[in-house]
Amino acid sequence: AQTVTQSQPEMSVQEAETVTLSCTYDTSENNYYLFWYKQPPSRQMILVIRQEAYKQQNATENRFSVNFQKAAKSFSLKISDSQLGDTAMYFCAFMKLIQGAQKLVFGQGTRLTINP
Amino acid sequence: ETGVTQSPTHLIKTRGQQVTLRCSSQSGHNTVSWYQQALGQGPQFIFQYYREEENGRGNFPPRFSGLQFPNYSSELNVNALELDDSALYLCASRTGGRYGYTFGSGTRLTVV
């Protein structure tokens, strides 16, 4: 069974600092997608960044970047120049096909607090 | 884009009752998934609908059922509510061929 593990339940950094959130996953598949989602108090899941497993280049989106290590099944998220608005729950997710549907398997989440 | 809208935002039901949660997706989003997020946990996949047919289901009993309509709206129905059904229910939709889901803000269901 595919699983996603986020080993850091909570993290806290000062504004403008860089922070890295960890994620490991377990799968026997070779082609898949990995995601980081942000869930602020508004509850809506917001896509932060996506990585296709067949791409060796790490994805980047402005201040957000990933370190994708396929052999180690590791997918960490780095947030540079952190801002107060980055405060939220962050979920790592793996996408798999189940009976033709695309299912997201989420980790337990990391609560990130950016302090002024 | 108008986003994904869920209603109601909060709901309190009594054990044994039935509930219907609603989701209105963006135009063109022919795939909708529903997730259950217990407090302090990551979301769990309930099922997915594509062009009004269920095409995938997670580990949820048959009392969890759904419908998808031609106007890109959908419903999640839960019968015989149990206390453990208390959770945030999230709807997510996308167009075919795209792997980025757009999520709604969820419905917080409390079963007492």
Side-chain angles (χ1 to χ4, degrees):
Chain A
Q2 278 83 359
T3 59
V4 178
T5 302
Q6 294 179 248
S7 58
Q8 305 148 313
E10 293 187 31
M11 295 192 72
S12 178
V13 299
Q14 297 298 119
E15 191 177 6
E17 290 184 343
T18 295
V19 60
T20 299
L21 308 183
S22 301
C23 173
T24 58
Y25 58 94
D26 184 27
T27 182
S28 57
E29 298 176 16
N30 191 46
N31 294 317
Y32 50 88
Y33 292 79
L34 293 163
F35 304 85
W36 278 98
Y37 279 90
K38 166 185 177 181
Q39 188 177 40
S42 66
R43 308 182 317 197
Q44 183 180 17
M45 283 284 189
I46 300 168
L47 178 64
V48 175
I49 200 164
R50 181 186 83 186
Q51 175 79 43
E52 292 89 343
Y54 63 86
K55 289 187 177 179
Q56 293 184 337
Q57 186 174 7
N58 289 324
T60 62
E61 287 287 344
N62 300 313
R63 298 183 294 108
F64 300 88
S65 61
V66 298
N67 183 2
F68 174 48
Q69 301 290 329
K70 190 173 183 179
K73 297 180 181 176
S74 171
F75 183 60
S76 61
L77 174 69
K78 185 171 82 172
I79 305 174
S80 303
D81 186 26
S82 58
Q83 301 175 358
L84 297 179
D86 295 332
T87 293
M89 284 291 293
Y90 284 81
F91 291 94
C92 177
F94 169 95
M95 177 172 281
K96 62 171 288 187
L97 285 177
I98 174 170
Q99 305 163 2
Q102 289 158 341
K103 164 187 174 181
L104 287 168
V105 178
F106 288 87
Q108 297 284 77
T110 296
R111 183 176 301 279
L112 176 65
T113 302
I114 309 299
N115 299 306
Chain B
E1 291 187 342
T2 57
V4 177
T5 304
Q6 293 187 242
S7 63
T9 55
H10 296 84
L11 198 56
I12 300 175
K13 287 287 191 178
T14 302
R15 188 171 51 183
Q17 284 187 317
Q18 179 267 342
V19 69
T20 297
L21 310 182
R22 294 179 172 83
C23 173
S24 178
S25 301
Q26 296 174 212
S27 178
H29 280 204
N30 54 17
T31 302
V32 64
S33 299
W34 285 88
Y35 288 81
Q36 180 195 67
Q37 186 178 15
L39 195 62
Q41 304 292 318
Q44 299 289 318
F45 176 77
I46 302 175
F47 47 55
Q48 180 174 295
Y49 278 78
Y50 173 67
R51 293 184 175 177
E52 303 165 45
E53 296 284 335
E54 182 183 303
N55 69 338
R57 189 176 188 90
N59 295 324
F60 282 82
R63 60 188 184 86
F64 285 78
S65 63
L67 286 171
Q68 185 186 25
F69 303 101
N71 64 352
Y72 306 111
S73 65
S74 60
E75 292 180 352
L76 165 64
N77 299 289
V78 187
N79 294 321
L81 283 168
E82 301 177 359
L83 297 179
D84 285 348
D85 295 334
S86 295
L88 178 68
Y89 288 85
L90 294 165
C91 167
S93 68
R94 66 173 184 86
T95 58
R98 292 180 58 190
Y99 291 92
Y101 279 90
T102 301
F103 279 81
S105 296
T107 294
R108 173 76 65 193
L109 173 65
T110 302
V111 182
V112 297

